[in-house]
Amino acid sequence: MKQNIIKHIFTFKSIFPLLLFLGYVFYRSLSFPLHDFANSYFPAHLAIYNNTPEFFLFDIYEFNNYIWSLGYNEVFADFYLNSPFNIVAFYPFAFIENAYTAKAVFNGISCILFVLSIAALIKRYGEKSHLLVYVIPILFYVPIRNQILFGQTYFLIFALIVFSFLQIEKGKAKAGGTLLALASLLKVFPVFYGVVFVLNNNKKAIIYAVISGFLLLVLGITLTGTSVWKTYFLEVIPNAIANKSTVNFQFNSQSFDVFFKTLFIHDSYYNSNVLYNSERLYTAIIWIFKAVFLGLAFSMSFKVKKDVLALLSIWIVTLFLVQSRTATYAQILWIIPAFYITSNKMNMWKKIAFFLILFLLCNFPLSKLENLPILLRFSRMWFALILAIIVFSTFAKRKSFLFIFASIILLIPFNLSVFSNSKKLMSQYVLKTQEFFIIYDFSQTNNLLTYFALGKNGKETVTTKISVNTFNTSACKLVNNQIVLNGKQLTNDPSLKKKPVLINSKEVYYLTDSQSRRGAFTLKKININSN
């Protein structure tokens, strides 16, 4: 009894700096804008108070219009490709009338779960981990700060993952599988960690994860209605994959996907300066790159398949390398490999290097990188690669080349475009450079083209110097997301399209999200005389 009390006191002392830091940031968040919390709160609000939430949810402009109609004019939100299960998770918070109060309640619950998950890791790894916990507020200052200020869900995801694998380690497959299923429904990417169950040959955990995931999905569909899920699975996701709008040119994604796309995919509006313009080369490099790291991960995993948390560390690091987007607040997941490194008997200098690089990765301001040369612009990505090398160096590799070759074969269905020629688009951008997040409408004003945009300053109206003598909105129509003029199809690409207009009887102007984030429209035109 006395020994347990001493352990609890020691754990509390270790966590105390983290508690102080969380309390300070939580206090700051009370007067901070809603930010990302709006992307979760208002979809749930829509599902409760609107009969057609899918109409607003998957249209950036309509979604924000709905939010502004509630009096939150300072908010700019985008549900993007988030799982509709987020709506279910935020149902209770949406019943809180004031969104800022709801955010405070959510942050409070998230902080408690995060602290409990850290305490559980301390208990698992023992005394060696206490020093790491003392410095978590320093190492992860920016990710933790942003998580709370922005009202993100990563504390919740982190806690679910930690509790899931600790339960699996204790032989509690039902609880472990259910918790991972819940995390996967909330953010999708944790489903990738299910490979640990497979490698660990934990059939019960796999079965419970599938069953509980299905039951939770049924619950979600019951609460939200089928229309949102139909739209998400039958329209949004297929279109995002076909249009490749899961990966755009935003450098703050800090992924190899975006890095290589920036190098090898030319776009006069979003990415005009490239090293070499070749979509086929981009696809081939990404294919091989991902296959190498997946192959290495599998080769290391078979050596430690009985050690659940070692396996989890391998796959957390691997996912940071192969996924298309790595948000700042997602970096708190590095805490799990950090616990592993702390307990590992590796060279002290390697450990010091790991934590120094980890500090830079988590805290270096991305805003300072935007205008740097491309190699430096993706610094966080390079830091992640260095950390991966350090973590992977602690594991023995087993027939890596065979696993890499097998990964290349397995990834063939996802990279078939490397065997085909890219289609040449007949359209051109109306504007030279991207100045706004989205252009949501355009019209004719005094024989000049006017467009309406959303940017950092909210709604903006811009009148161009482009002459518009005729503005025919009835000449064109959209058929199966393609523009048709006088029975002739002008487009043949998967990008979303809106409002085709025949201008000056010679060009068709329209809104499209080609080469962009899904639903983030800009203006393009097609010269009908050249078709």
Side-chain angles (χ1 to χ4, degrees), residues 1 21 34 60 64 74 86 91 118 169 237 252 333 462:
M1 180 70 177
F21 179 53
L34 285 180
I60 297 172
N64 282 281
E74 75 285 4
N86 264 286
Y91 237 66
I118 294 296
E169 196 174 51
I237 293 301
N252 57 5
L333 288 165
V462 181

Side-chain angles (χ1 to χ4, degrees), residues 154 231 376 383 391 432 440 491 513:
Y154 279 89
T231 304
L376 296 176
F383 290 148
V391 173
K432 291 182 179 180
Y440 63 87
T491 60
D513 67 352

